[in-house]
Amino acid sequence: MSNKDQLWAAFAARRAEAIWQAAERREKVYLENPCLLEMDRAITEAGSRYCTAMATGGDAEELRQELEQVQAKRDDFLRSIHADLEPHFRCAKCQDTGMGEEGLCECFRKELIAENFRTSNLEQMLTDQSFENFDFSLFDTTPQDGLLSPRDNMKRIYQLCKNYTEQFDRQDKSLLFVGATGLGKTYLSTAIARALLDQGKSVIYISAPEFARRIEAARFKDEEGQLRQFMEADMLILDDLGIETHTPYIVGTLTDLMDQRIRTGKPMLFSTNLNLDGIQKAYDERIISRLLGHFTYCYFYGEDLRIKAFKEGR
Ligand SMILES: [Zn+2]
């Protein structure tokens, strides 16, 4: 079940519980105060007399006042005994239905984002890695071998990723980050994940070795529905592809997963330190053809930022 479906179920249970508890309180109050039944009966009778008068065109005003009086009497009594008959909903606005006037209630959206964040594996990661905090000054401005300077290259990739995230619902291609370590691949992956989570999308962010470990663990008994989560998340981010163990089972599962996601229009973001040649050596034709056909390449180059920062004493 997706996070959203689980949350719908939780909301339904929460609402039912609040209503149930109110009914229990009500029953107790009525048992302790039998006069309430009497008052209810008086209200029902006054109400039906008033309705009849309205329907038949009779003089309803006096009957309306009478109805208000018996209602007020009951309200006064309930107040005097501090009766608590209404359900205690967590969200007064949507009464725990999760629905607002225009789609989802704010409370539902908030919980969904928190839940998506929790299942994304990003909860523990740095929170300042966002598009807003990206620092282009770290990148070199010297053009390289007929290529753009690392900084201009980075600006191009950054813009592509930002647009990609902002128009996520219209994406039919996935992203492949290629390049050595320390060039900002992980930073941008995290920024994309964060931006999508803030939109209420479900994201799974996982390193390829951890991914392989979980696939292997779920091979005979997928207790946590791990495979389904990898298929259902709106975005699947696999970091450091190529350093995991490539058993035929893992490669086969990854291929199936890619096919499923491509078929259902769910994008992926893979990052790898391997160059194309390395990818070709590490994987069989099936994965290569999918990477070539369905992914937009982003090639990261330049000096390792961590080494650079160390040299410059940052
Ligand atoms: Zn609400």
Side-chain angles (χ1 to χ4, degrees):
M1 221 192 318
S2 69
N3 286 343
K4 203 173 188 178
D5 288 341
Q6 271 177 17
L7 203 54
W8 280 127
F11 265 65
R14 187 184 295 177
R15 181 175 155 81
E17 178 63 23
I19 292 172
W20 177 255
Q21 284 182 6
E24 279 193 324
R25 286 198 304 274
R26 184 185 193 86
E27 202 176 303
K28 194 160 167 272
V29 169
Y30 271 71
L31 269 176
E32 289 165 355
N33 304 278
C35 63
L36 272 167
L37 280 174
E38 207 55 53
M39 292 180 194
D40 282 353
R41 206 170 300 136
I43 291 172
T44 313
E45 281 169 14
S48 96
R49 276 200 299 277
Y50 172 59
C51 287
T52 314
M54 290 280 284
T56 55
D59 183 11
E61 181 51 27
E62 205 172 309
L63 293 169
R64 190 182 61 79
Q65 285 177 13
E66 192 191 320
L67 175 61
E68 279 178 6
Q69 271 170 18
V70 282
Q71 277 171 335
K73 190 178 161 199
R74 180 176 177 272
D75 290 346
D76 287 345
F77 177 74
L78 287 173
R79 255 195 303 276
S80 75
I81 60 167
H82 305 291
D84 177 16
L85 303 184
E86 296 305 318
H88 297 179
F89 296 116
R90 265 197 242 176
C91 176
K93 229 167 156 186
C94 71
Q95 305 204 323
D96 297 352
T97 59
M99 290 302 293
E101 279 172 18
E102 292 164 24
L104 299 179
C105 181
E106 196 52 33
C107 72
F108 189 92
R109 272 183 56 81
K110 266 190 200 153
E111 281 192 47
L112 182 62
I113 289 173
E115 187 55 21
N116 283 341
F117 216 82
R118 200 182 60 73
T119 51
S120 69
N121 303 320
L122 267 172
E123 213 176 25
Q124 309 300 329
M125 290 185 69
L126 293 174
T127 49
D128 59 351
Q129 298 193 336
S130 63
F131 283 115
E132 291 72 33
N133 293 340
F134 197 87
D135 185 1
F136 289 105
S137 77
L138 295 170
F139 296 86
D140 206 342
T141 51
T142 328
Q144 298 196 342
D145 309 328
L147 297 171
L148 291 175
S149 72
R151 187 178 298 180
D152 285 342
N153 180 50
M154 210 52 226
K155 281 184 180 166
R156 198 156 67 176
I157 295 176
Y158 172 94
Q159 203 50 52
L160 182 138
C161 292
K162 201 157 179 286
N163 294 346
Y164 187 92
T165 312
E166 283 164 4
Q167 294 160 20
F168 184 70
D169 290 333
R170 279 187 269 150
Q171 302 304 334
D172 55 353
K173 279 220 168 188
S174 293
L175 295 174
L176 181 66
F177 287 179
V178 184
T181 47
L183 294 173
K185 295 199 303 295
T186 299
Y187 188 109
L188 271 187
S189 304
T190 314
I192 288 176
R194 287 186 53 80
L196 291 177
L197 286 164
D198 285 343
Q199 288 177 27
K201 305 290 182 204
S202 58
V203 178
I204 292 183
Y205 189 115
I206 191 163
S207 72
E210 176 63 12
F211 170 79
R213 198 190 62 71
R214 292 201 197 176
I215 291 289
E216 198 61 67
R219 182 167 185 174
F220 299 110
K221 203 168 177 210
D222 190 8
E223 273 174 351
E224 291 171 20
Q226 188 72 82
L227 270 175
R228 215 178 42 233
Q229 282 182 23
F230 288 141
M231 277 171 201
E232 285 180 355
D234 295 323
M235 175 56 131
L236 173 68
I237 302 181
L238 271 187
D239 202 16
D240 253 347
L241 195 72
I243 64 165
E244 76 282 6
T245 23
H246 302 115
T247 66
Y249 174 71
I250 289 167
V251 174
T253 309
L254 179 60
T255 314
D256 289 346
L257 181 63
M258 289 170 81
D259 281 345
Q260 281 252 18
R261 293 190 61 93
I262 289 167
R263 209 168 33 242
T264 50
K266 287 178 183 290
M268 296 157 266
L269 163 56
F270 292 175
S271 77
T272 180
N273 299 336
L274 299 174
N275 54 26
L276 267 185
D277 185 43
I279 298 176
Q280 250 154 358
K281 281 186 186 131
Y283 295 102
D284 63 21
E285 264 317 304
R286 293 174 302 161
I287 288 194
I288 307 295
S289 70
R290 283 156 187 80
L291 287 177
L292 289 174
H294 298 277
F295 285 66
T296 301
Y297 273 56
C298 298
Y299 180 47
F300 292 66
Y301 53 81
E303 191 180 357
D304 186 320
L305 296 177
R306 279 165 282 196
I307 295 173
K308 187 170 180 248
F310 178 72
K311 277 195 217 154
E312 290 172 2
R314 290 209 198 203

